[in-house]
Structure formats: C-alpha cells, structure tokens
Amino acid sequence: MSCPCLSGMKPQEINNVHLKMPQTNQDEQLWAEKYRPKKSCEIYGQDESKPKIIDFIKNFKKQRRKAMLLSGPPGSGKTSLVYALGNELGLEIIELNASDFRNKAQIQEIIGKAISQQSLFAKSKVMLIDELEGVSGKEDRGGIQELLRLIETTSYPIIMICNDPWQENLRKIKAKSLSIELKSLWCSDIIKILKAIAQKEKVSITDEALQELIKKTNGDARAAINDLQATSMLTKKIEKKDLEFLDSREKEVSIIEALKKILETRQAHGAFDQVEKLDFDDFFLWLDENIPQLYKGKELERAYDLLSLADVYKGRIHRQQHWRFLVYISSLLTQGIAISKDHDKLEERMPYIKYRPPSRLLKIWMSNQRKLKKKAIAEKLAPHIHISKKQAMQDLEYLKLALRNRAQRQRFSEELRLQDEAEWLER
C-alpha cells in the first residue's frame, strides 16, 4: 500500500492524518479491543492485585499515598484491569499517555487541568497515565518534579502504568506511590482467553496450535489475540501448520533497532539493510507510525516531505520498473529522515520512546484477506455468466442481496463449487 503523499502539508495537517483514523465496523474491529474485559472477574491471574486496587480507589481519601504505580510485563492486563474496575465501580476513566507530555508545561496543561476539573458525568474519576516511562527525568525539563507536585495535591486517584518500575527516572515517583506489580499470565490463563474468543468468533483451534501461538507471542495475551485474529482470516479451523506465516517477534526487535538508528542518531545510512522479512512498503508504515513520537514542527514537516518523495520514487519503480530508484528510496528513508531533526537539541529532549508496530498493517492485511474470498467467487462466477472478472467483482454485492434465501445460497455455492469462499456470502 502506498503511503499518502504529504508534501506541502502543514505540520498540524500532517498530525491530523494520524489522529483522525477512520471508524471501523464490527468485522474490522481488533479483537483485543472488542473483547476487552468489562468486569474484573474476566481478568485472569491477578487475584492478588485486584483487592489492593479496589481498596486504593474506594478509600482514596484515607490513603497515605495519592497515586498508584501499576507495573507488569506487556499483555498482563494492566490497562484492562483499571478499565474493568472503573466499569464496576461506576468511575469515569481519564486516560492519558505519558508519551504525549514530557515537560513541566505540558504536564501542567494536560494533567493539571484534568485533575482540577469536575467529572463530565458527575461521577468520581480516576486519572490513568499509561506508558509512564515517557515522562522525562531530566532536571531541566521538570516533568517528574511537576508530576510529583500534582500527586501531592490531587483530589482524584492517579494510577500510572509502566512495564519496568525500577528505571532510574521513575525512582522518585515510585517512592511517592503505592506500587503494585502484576504477574505474567500463565499459559493456561492465555489459553482460556483465546478459547473464549475463538468460540465467540466461531473459530476452531487445536490445543497444539494454541501452545504454538503462546510460544510465538512470548506470553503476551494481547499479541496472542491479535495473531489469533490474523490467522482466522486465513482459515476458521486453525492447526499448528497454519501459524507458520506469522512473523517472529525477533523481527520486531530488529526493525525497532533500525528505527532507533534513524530517529535517534545522526548516521542512519543502511539502517534497514539487516532487517529480514520486511520490504519497503513495511518500512514506510513503521516510519509513518513512529516519526510523530519524536519529530515536532518543522522537523516533522521535513521528515514527511522526504517520506512522500520516497513514495514518489516507489511509484515510479512500480510503473516504469526503474529499479535504480531503490537507492534513492533507501537514502531518503534512512539518512534523509535522520538529518531532518535538530541534532543540537536532540539530547536535551530525548524522551523514552516505545516504538509501536503500524496499526494500519494488521487492518490492511485483514481487509485484503476478505477481498481474497470475494475475488475467488468472482473468478468462478465470471465464465458462468460470460462477463469479465472485474465486472463480476462489481456485481457481487448486488448478487449477495439477491441470495438472501439460504436455499438459494446453497444452490449457488454448489453450482460454482464454492468451499471456504461461501462464508463471504453469509456475512
């Protein structure tokens, strides 16, 4: 998929490209969000921590510490647990991401106002600060100091989430907060979660495949759910062999190292050369997702101008087969974007960056898998009614409306010898 051409856009317009995501229907929704627990009893493996969090929220005015530091490995249910308890206790959850504010002024503007304002729904509320590692620990930026001041004066519970509570820049916050660490989920717990989702989505998966899925995701429940959803787009009867297409998590480590080299250093030439199993389309998506985390203002504008120019060269390769442009694309995506930032001020504003995989990548892949079944039906239909495959693709939606009757759909499927493709007609 080609990246949108962003040259000539203003920085605030470029930001809108990322912030205004198109709404998805129920079929396109990620299962990790669709099946986010609504009750605390649906959170597995954290029975020891639940009562402590409930007591902290319910008896907040009696608490000696006015903030909680909730830590644990990725996919252990930190954020989901807070939302589930909030739902049960009738609380308004105000979620903020620490990556979006890093200095004293930003924390005063965002968190300070949220703490001082009355709840919109006349409820009590909880301030949820995710990815706490993103707050700067540098003295000249004052982020940690300002957050500590707000913790002392808050009228509402503050729950902060991080993966590693022992980082040096979080030392003072940990001392001022009630620290609770969630455990890694047992494999048996993740299997229960996956089986429940598979049953609701009418997906059959073998025990051997479940074990392999957990192994590939290193015990990260969220990642396992995403991979289950991705695999279900290929087949509704999942066996171990069907998981071979899943990328190893080691690949993400290598792409993240490449991103760090491009976005955090001066010399980034050839940063993508050692990244296996990824092509330039993937590099565009990873950069598009992560550039705004570190680049601001004119830097962001310059970086997207270069990303756009690289996309132009990529289009010329596809249309004209001028593969010599590949060198230009590589230079623009690596060294070009690396020198777009102000290196003199880089060190003093370097935040903790949690590089994210492209959210669009899974959605694009899922959409393509849906189209594959539709395309397969069109290819079988076209010769029967003497039209082109393109015309058959266009007419399939009308045909689907005409085949509302189950008996008609069954006769149609038998005549065209449809197998897995028949599922598309049922939707």
PDB file of all heavy atoms in Angstrom, residues 376-394:
ATOM      1  N   ALA A 376     -12.165 -14.767  -5.292  1.00  0.00           N
ATOM      2  CA  ALA A 376     -12.268 -16.169  -5.696  1.00  0.00           C
ATOM      3  C   ALA A 376     -13.665 -16.479  -6.238  1.00  0.00           C
ATOM      4  O   ALA A 376     -13.812 -17.215  -7.224  1.00  0.00           O
ATOM      5  CB  ALA A 376     -11.945 -17.074  -4.509  1.00  0.00           C
ATOM      6  N   ILE A 377     -14.703 -15.920  -5.601  1.00  0.00           N
ATOM      7  CA  ILE A 377     -16.073 -16.122  -6.085  1.00  0.00           C
ATOM      8  C   ILE A 377     -16.245 -15.477  -7.458  1.00  0.00           C
ATOM      9  O   ILE A 377     -16.833 -16.067  -8.371  1.00  0.00           O
ATOM     10  CB  ILE A 377     -17.092 -15.539  -5.085  1.00  0.00           C
ATOM     11  CG1 ILE A 377     -17.029 -16.287  -3.753  1.00  0.00           C
ATOM     12  CG2 ILE A 377     -18.507 -15.619  -5.648  1.00  0.00           C
ATOM     13  CD1 ILE A 377     -17.883 -15.687  -2.659  1.00  0.00           C
ATOM     14  N   ALA A 378     -15.692 -14.254  -7.612  1.00  0.00           N
ATOM     15  CA  ALA A 378     -15.823 -13.542  -8.893  1.00  0.00           C
ATOM     16  C   ALA A 378     -15.143 -14.322 -10.025  1.00  0.00           C
ATOM     17  O   ALA A 378     -15.665 -14.375 -11.152  1.00  0.00           O
ATOM     18  CB  ALA A 378     -15.216 -12.152  -8.771  1.00  0.00           C
ATOM     19  N   GLU A 379     -13.999 -14.927  -9.745  1.00  0.00           N
ATOM     20  CA  GLU A 379     -13.285 -15.690 -10.769  1.00  0.00           C
ATOM     21  C   GLU A 379     -14.079 -16.913 -11.222  1.00  0.00           C
ATOM     22  O   GLU A 379     -14.019 -17.304 -12.388  1.00  0.00           O
ATOM     23  CB  GLU A 379     -11.915 -16.114 -10.228  1.00  0.00           C
ATOM     24  CG  GLU A 379     -10.935 -14.958 -10.091  1.00  0.00           C
ATOM     25  CD  GLU A 379      -9.614 -15.378  -9.464  1.00  0.00           C
ATOM     26  OE1 GLU A 379      -9.559 -16.513  -8.922  1.00  0.00           O
ATOM     27  OE2 GLU A 379      -8.657 -14.581  -9.518  1.00  0.00           O
ATOM     28  N   LYS A 380     -14.813 -17.532 -10.294  1.00  0.00           N
ATOM     29  CA  LYS A 380     -15.637 -18.690 -10.655  1.00  0.00           C
ATOM     30  C   LYS A 380     -16.949 -18.274 -11.315  1.00  0.00           C
ATOM     31  O   LYS A 380     -17.501 -18.998 -12.152  1.00  0.00           O
ATOM     32  CB  LYS A 380     -15.918 -19.534  -9.413  1.00  0.00           C
ATOM     33  CG  LYS A 380     -14.677 -20.192  -8.823  1.00  0.00           C
ATOM     34  CD  LYS A 380     -15.017 -21.031  -7.609  1.00  0.00           C
ATOM     35  CE  LYS A 380     -13.759 -21.721  -7.056  1.00  0.00           C
ATOM     36  NZ  LYS A 380     -14.055 -22.556  -5.865  1.00  0.00           N
ATOM     37  N   LEU A 381     -17.447 -17.096 -10.923  1.00  0.00           N
ATOM     38  CA  LEU A 381     -18.729 -16.625 -11.452  1.00  0.00           C
ATOM     39  C   LEU A 381     -18.608 -16.094 -12.881  1.00  0.00           C
ATOM     40  O   LEU A 381     -19.495 -16.327 -13.712  1.00  0.00           O
ATOM     41  CB  LEU A 381     -19.288 -15.538 -10.530  1.00  0.00           C
ATOM     42  CG  LEU A 381     -20.590 -14.854 -10.976  1.00  0.00           C
ATOM     43  CD1 LEU A 381     -21.733 -15.862 -11.012  1.00  0.00           C
ATOM     44  CD2 LEU A 381     -20.924 -13.683 -10.047  1.00  0.00           C
ATOM     45  N   ALA A 382     -17.521 -15.388 -13.172  1.00  0.00           N
ATOM     46  CA  ALA A 382     -17.380 -14.695 -14.461  1.00  0.00           C
ATOM     47  C   ALA A 382     -17.619 -15.582 -15.683  1.00  0.00           C
ATOM     48  O   ALA A 382     -18.418 -15.229 -16.566  1.00  0.00           O
ATOM     49  CB  ALA A 382     -16.002 -14.031 -14.534  1.00  0.00           C
ATOM     50  N   PRO A 383     -16.995 -16.755 -15.819  1.00  0.00           N
ATOM     51  CA  PRO A 383     -17.233 -17.574 -17.014  1.00  0.00           C
ATOM     52  C   PRO A 383     -18.644 -18.146 -17.095  1.00  0.00           C
ATOM     53  O   PRO A 383     -19.136 -18.436 -18.189  1.00  0.00           O
ATOM     54  CB  PRO A 383     -16.186 -18.695 -16.881  1.00  0.00           C
ATOM     55  CG  PRO A 383     -15.823 -18.737 -15.445  1.00  0.00           C
ATOM     56  CD  PRO A 383     -15.953 -17.342 -14.957  1.00  0.00           C
ATOM     57  N   HIS A 384     -19.319 -18.285 -15.953  1.00  0.00           N
ATOM     58  CA  HIS A 384     -20.678 -18.835 -15.956  1.00  0.00           C
ATOM     59  C   HIS A 384     -21.677 -17.874 -16.575  1.00  0.00           C
ATOM     60  O   HIS A 384     -22.636 -18.305 -17.221  1.00  0.00           O
ATOM     61  CB  HIS A 384     -21.113 -19.178 -14.521  1.00  0.00           C
ATOM     62  CG  HIS A 384     -20.638 -20.519 -14.057  1.00  0.00           C
ATOM     63  ND1 HIS A 384     -21.427 -21.648 -14.038  1.00  0.00           N
ATOM     64  CD2 HIS A 384     -19.419 -20.926 -13.611  1.00  0.00           C
ATOM     65  CE1 HIS A 384     -20.729 -22.677 -13.585  1.00  0.00           C
ATOM     66  NE2 HIS A 384     -19.502 -22.260 -13.315  1.00  0.00           N
ATOM     67  N   ILE A 385     -21.465 -16.593 -16.347  1.00  0.00           N
ATOM     68  CA  ILE A 385     -22.431 -15.612 -16.880  1.00  0.00           C
ATOM     69  C   ILE A 385     -21.805 -14.717 -17.950  1.00  0.00           C
ATOM     70  O   ILE A 385     -22.366 -13.686 -18.319  1.00  0.00           O
ATOM     71  CB  ILE A 385     -23.025 -14.756 -15.737  1.00  0.00           C
ATOM     72  CG1 ILE A 385     -21.915 -14.061 -14.936  1.00  0.00           C
ATOM     73  CG2 ILE A 385     -23.870 -15.614 -14.810  1.00  0.00           C
ATOM     74  CD1 ILE A 385     -22.448 -13.175 -13.836  1.00  0.00           C
ATOM     75  N   HIS A 386     -20.608 -15.137 -18.431  1.00  0.00           N
ATOM     76  CA  HIS A 386     -19.961 -14.517 -19.587  1.00  0.00           C
ATOM     77  C   HIS A 386     -19.698 -13.020 -19.397  1.00  0.00           C
ATOM     78  O   HIS A 386     -20.069 -12.185 -20.231  1.00  0.00           O
ATOM     79  CB  HIS A 386     -20.807 -14.733 -20.854  1.00  0.00           C
ATOM     80  CG  HIS A 386     -21.186 -16.168 -21.078  1.00  0.00           C
ATOM     81  ND1 HIS A 386     -20.265 -17.124 -21.432  1.00  0.00           N
ATOM     82  CD2 HIS A 386     -22.395 -16.810 -20.953  1.00  0.00           C
ATOM     83  CE1 HIS A 386     -20.875 -18.305 -21.542  1.00  0.00           C
ATOM     84  NE2 HIS A 386     -22.170 -18.146 -21.255  1.00  0.00           N
ATOM     85  N   ILE A 387     -19.079 -12.703 -18.274  1.00  0.00           N
ATOM     86  CA  ILE A 387     -18.650 -11.327 -18.043  1.00  0.00           C
ATOM     87  C   ILE A 387     -17.201 -11.368 -17.564  1.00  0.00           C
ATOM     88  O   ILE A 387     -16.654 -12.437 -17.261  1.00  0.00           O
ATOM     89  CB  ILE A 387     -19.530 -10.603 -16.988  1.00  0.00           C
ATOM     90  CG1 ILE A 387     -19.457 -11.334 -15.636  1.00  0.00           C
ATOM     91  CG2 ILE A 387     -20.964 -10.471 -17.467  1.00  0.00           C
ATOM     92  CD1 ILE A 387     -20.182 -10.602 -14.522  1.00  0.00           C
ATOM     93  N   SER A 388     -16.567 -10.204 -17.491  1.00  0.00           N
ATOM     94  CA  SER A 388     -15.186 -10.136 -17.036  1.00  0.00           C
ATOM     95  C   SER A 388     -15.120 -10.315 -15.525  1.00  0.00           C
ATOM     96  O   SER A 388     -16.108 -10.124 -14.805  1.00  0.00           O
ATOM     97  CB  SER A 388     -14.565  -8.785 -17.417  1.00  0.00           C
ATOM     98  OG  SER A 388     -15.193  -7.739 -16.695  1.00  0.00           O
ATOM     99  N   LYS A 389     -13.926 -10.661 -15.037  1.00  0.00           N
ATOM    100  CA  LYS A 389     -13.738 -10.799 -13.591  1.00  0.00           C
ATOM    101  C   LYS A 389     -13.966  -9.470 -12.882  1.00  0.00           C
ATOM    102  O   LYS A 389     -14.511  -9.427 -11.774  1.00  0.00           O
ATOM    103  CB  LYS A 389     -12.330 -11.315 -13.301  1.00  0.00           C
ATOM    104  CG  LYS A 389     -12.073 -12.725 -13.802  1.00  0.00           C
ATOM    105  CD  LYS A 389     -10.630 -13.139 -13.545  1.00  0.00           C
ATOM    106  CE  LYS A 389     -10.343 -14.521 -14.132  1.00  0.00           C
ATOM    107  NZ  LYS A 389      -8.919 -14.903 -13.951  1.00  0.00           N
ATOM    108  N   LYS A 390     -13.533  -8.383 -13.514  1.00  0.00           N
ATOM    109  CA  LYS A 390     -13.715  -7.052 -12.916  1.00  0.00           C
ATOM    110  C   LYS A 390     -15.188  -6.730 -12.752  1.00  0.00           C
ATOM    111  O   LYS A 390     -15.623  -6.229 -11.716  1.00  0.00           O
ATOM    112  CB  LYS A 390     -13.028  -6.003 -13.795  1.00  0.00           C
ATOM    113  CG  LYS A 390     -13.104  -4.592 -13.232  1.00  0.00           C
ATOM    114  CD  LYS A 390     -12.364  -3.606 -14.124  1.00  0.00           C
ATOM    115  CE  LYS A 390     -12.450  -2.196 -13.568  1.00  0.00           C
ATOM    116  NZ  LYS A 390     -11.737  -1.223 -14.439  1.00  0.00           N
ATOM    117  N   GLN A 391     -15.976  -7.040 -13.784  1.00  0.00           N
ATOM    118  CA  GLN A 391     -17.410  -6.776 -13.712  1.00  0.00           C
ATOM    119  C   GLN A 391     -18.071  -7.669 -12.666  1.00  0.00           C
ATOM    120  O   GLN A 391     -18.976  -7.243 -11.939  1.00  0.00           O
ATOM    121  CB  GLN A 391     -18.062  -7.007 -15.077  1.00  0.00           C
ATOM    122  CG  GLN A 391     -19.538  -6.607 -15.151  1.00  0.00           C
ATOM    123  CD  GLN A 391     -19.748  -5.120 -14.907  1.00  0.00           C
ATOM    124  OE1 GLN A 391     -19.066  -4.288 -15.503  1.00  0.00           O
ATOM    125  NE2 GLN A 391     -20.680  -4.782 -14.044  1.00  0.00           N
ATOM    126  N   ALA A 392     -17.601  -8.911 -12.581  1.00  0.00           N
ATOM    127  CA  ALA A 392     -18.152  -9.830 -11.580  1.00  0.00           C
ATOM    128  C   ALA A 392     -17.895  -9.313 -10.165  1.00  0.00           C
ATOM    129  O   ALA A 392     -18.761  -9.421  -9.289  1.00  0.00           O
ATOM    130  CB  ALA A 392     -17.540 -11.212 -11.760  1.00  0.00           C
ATOM    131  N   MET A 393     -16.693  -8.750  -9.931  1.00  0.00           N
ATOM    132  CA  MET A 393     -16.385  -8.170  -8.626  1.00  0.00           C
ATOM    133  C   MET A 393     -17.346  -7.044  -8.281  1.00  0.00           C
ATOM    134  O   MET A 393     -17.821  -6.919  -7.152  1.00  0.00           O
ATOM    135  CB  MET A 393     -14.945  -7.650  -8.610  1.00  0.00           C
ATOM    136  CG  MET A 393     -13.889  -8.719  -8.425  1.00  0.00           C
ATOM    137  SD  MET A 393     -13.770  -9.341  -6.723  1.00  0.00           S
ATOM    138  CE  MET A 393     -12.965  -7.960  -5.910  1.00  0.00           C
ATOM    139  N   GLN A 394     -17.656  -6.219  -9.257  1.00  0.00           N
ATOM    140  CA  GLN A 394     -18.554  -5.087  -9.034  1.00  0.00           C
ATOM    141  C   GLN A 394     -19.992  -5.537  -8.781  1.00  0.00           C
ATOM    142  O   GLN A 394     -20.726  -4.920  -8.003  1.00  0.00           O
ATOM    143  CB  GLN A 394     -18.512  -4.144 -10.241  1.00  0.00           C
ATOM    144  CG  GLN A 394     -17.155  -3.472 -10.440  1.00  0.00           C
ATOM    145  CD  GLN A 394     -17.091  -2.660 -11.719  1.00  0.00           C
ATOM    146  OE1 GLN A 394     -18.032  -2.654 -12.520  1.00  0.00           O
ATOM    147  NE2 GLN A 394     -15.985  -1.965 -11.924  1.00  0.00           N
TER     148      GLN A 394
END
